[in-house]
Amino acid sequence: MITEHPIADEVLDLVTIALSKGEKYMAYNNSLYFIDERDVHFFKTRDEAVEFAENNISDRDRFAVLHFNSVKDILNQIPYGEQLHRQLNLDPDANGLFNKDGNDFTDALIDHFESQQLSLFDKQLKTNFMNNENLQYLKDNIKYMGFGETLKAELERNMGEGKGEFQLHFKAEINKKPFEATLNFRKSDSTDMYFFNNYNASLEKSNGEKNEQTFYLNKGKGVTAKEAYNLLDGRAVHKDLTTKEGQPYKAWIQLDFENKDKNNNFEVKQFHENYGYDLKAAVEKFAVAELNDPEKAKALMQSLEKGNVQSVTIEKDGSSHKMFMEADPQYKKVTMYDSNMKMVAKESLEQYKSGIDKGSKEVKAGQENDKKKELKQEPKVEKEKLEKKNGQSLLPKKRESKGKGLGVS
């Protein structure tokens, strides 16, 4: 018969989370010596907990149900080993400092020690919980910023060592170009919390040159790894930004490779909404097949806003062309590339434009041609009307030759 159970620290963390969700009934596997997070389940009502316990009986599992309002309740109700049981035992006779004859000073000292002990335990429990939350948050942050999940173990190791600051290194090859990033983490001056503040990214271009830039995060958000690659490769990215006063706004950003700031970063050019760049209108100038499908059109716009060179299908005059395009907010257009990623010259773009937009010159030319045709037909119609009137012609008769000279018949 098992009389005590060592309990994993993770279980105590789950108890705190359950309390915050209003779940105050716990079913735990009473047939095991060591209870870990897989052996406990939490419920809001006793009936739910009992039903779970009754439905999960086997030769290896036997669940007991208990009600709790604090972590201390869990430790009091689940035998946890003789030593901790003595520490939590509130029977004064179990405390060596207890004065059986009664002494206010001794009683107060005992109460102080016991409260300090519980306070230290609660503080440690809270710290463990916060550290686990901090670790999980940073793992998720790294993942959704585009650096994958391969850095998790190294992140946990560095945080466990309690370093004041540390770095994680990321490497990848995107479109056959080496991309690297150094992620910088710093511990708070007042707590054990760690923060992912910024990262230094570099991209080696096909000509061997390397562009580098430091990207900063604000509350876990900022330029993602793929967006950093696109910026370093010369393209523009559409971002949600915030002013110094905390006001949100949207703008296209692009690195200015001709100028650097005092921190040796490239200056950042911004093209706000009032700049007048309409990405959708710029794309619609071309006969892009993806625009005929709302879902594909939405995905195309989102990809271009991230700074990607996006593949498109141009369908014109019964033929299809696989091409690529990228956003160019500075010049309020999109840049087109052929299937070999060779930029299409300006004079060759007309053949890929949509039928409804070939430029105002073509429309005007068409209207002028129609007008000329109408003017050309007018004299002929009037002449026919005159000849048919009263069966006689009001026009002079043609002169006919009668030997010498000219006559009028």
Side-chain angles (χ1 to χ4, degrees), residues 236-402:
V237 173
H238 191 253
K239 294 295 292 181
D240 292 326
L241 305 172
T242 307
T243 64
K244 292 180 180 179
E245 295 75 26
Q247 295 298 318
Y249 69 97
K250 297 177 183 292
W252 288 86
I253 60 174
Q254 192 169 15
L255 299 183
D256 182 356
F257 296 114
E258 301 299 322
N259 297 288
K260 287 192 173 185
D261 61 19
K262 60 183 180 180
N263 297 317
N264 204 36
N265 275 323
F266 293 114
E267 294 280 1
V268 179
K269 297 182 289 187
Q270 291 193 13
F271 306 99
H272 299 246
E273 290 180 311
N274 56 9
Y275 182 74
Y277 178 53
D278 188 337
L279 174 64
K280 187 171 182 289
V283 174
E284 288 178 343
K285 288 183 178 180
F286 297 92
V288 179
E290 286 77 8
L291 295 178
N292 299 322
D293 184 325
E295 290 299 318
K296 290 182 179 180
K298 181 180 178 181
L300 171 60
M301 297 301 169
Q302 290 176 340
S303 179
L304 292 173
E305 287 183 343
K306 289 182 179 295
N308 294 328
V309 178
Q310 181 61 42
S311 64
V312 293
T313 303
I314 302 294
E315 293 187 347
K316 192 70 181 296
D317 301 328
S319 60
S320 296
H321 307 272
K322 180 184 178 182
M323 303 186 73
F324 296 88
M325 73 167 47
E326 68 180 53
D328 187 355
Q330 183 171 359
Y331 297 102
K332 300 178 182 179
K333 65 181 181 66
V334 289
T335 302
M336 298 291 294
Y337 300 89
D338 63 18
S339 58
N340 296 316
M341 280 303 295
K342 183 179 179 181
M343 185 185 296
V344 179
K346 185 177 180 180
E347 55 271 16
S348 302
L349 288 176
E350 289 296 326
Q351 61 182 309
Y352 302 115
K353 286 190 174 181
S354 59
I356 60 173
D357 185 3
K358 284 192 174 184
S360 58
K361 290 183 178 178
E362 287 190 26
V363 174
K364 189 175 181 181
Q367 291 174 343
E368 290 178 351
N369 290 334
D370 291 340
K371 192 173 182 180
K372 287 179 180 178
K373 288 179 181 178
E374 291 175 5
L375 290 173
K376 190 174 182 181
Q377 290 175 353
E378 252 182 52
K380 185 178 180 181
V381 172
E382 292 300 321
K383 182 179 178 181
E384 290 175 354
K385 285 182 180 178
L386 290 171
E387 288 179 344
K388 290 179 181 178
K389 189 174 182 179
N390 298 323
Q392 297 177 354
S393 174
L394 300 179
L395 298 175
K397 293 183 177 181
K398 292 183 180 179
R399 293 181 177 179
E400 297 179 0
S401 174
K402 288 186 177 182

Side-chain angles (χ1 to χ4, degrees), residues 66-112:
L66 59 83
H67 178 263
F68 61 94
N69 288 301
S70 66
V71 174
K72 180 184 173 185
D73 288 345
I74 297 292
L75 297 175
N76 277 333
Q77 294 183 67
I78 299 180
Y80 188 75
E82 192 61 28
Q83 182 177 4
L84 183 60
H85 183 69
R86 285 200 304 268
Q87 291 176 352
L88 293 171
N89 193 341
L90 300 182
D91 180 4
D93 290 330
N95 195 313
L97 292 176
F98 181 70
N99 185 343
K100 295 181 180 180
D101 296 330
N103 182 297
D104 290 340
F105 172 76
T106 306
D107 290 345
L109 186 62
I110 293 171
D111 290 339
H112 172 71

Side-chain angles (χ1 to χ4, degrees), residues 196-212:
F196 176 22
N197 293 320
N198 59 69
Y199 64 94
N200 307 99
S202 67
L203 175 68
E204 186 176 326
K205 304 289 289 292
S206 54
N207 60 5
E209 294 181 359
K210 183 178 287 189
N211 290 334
E212 299 182 22

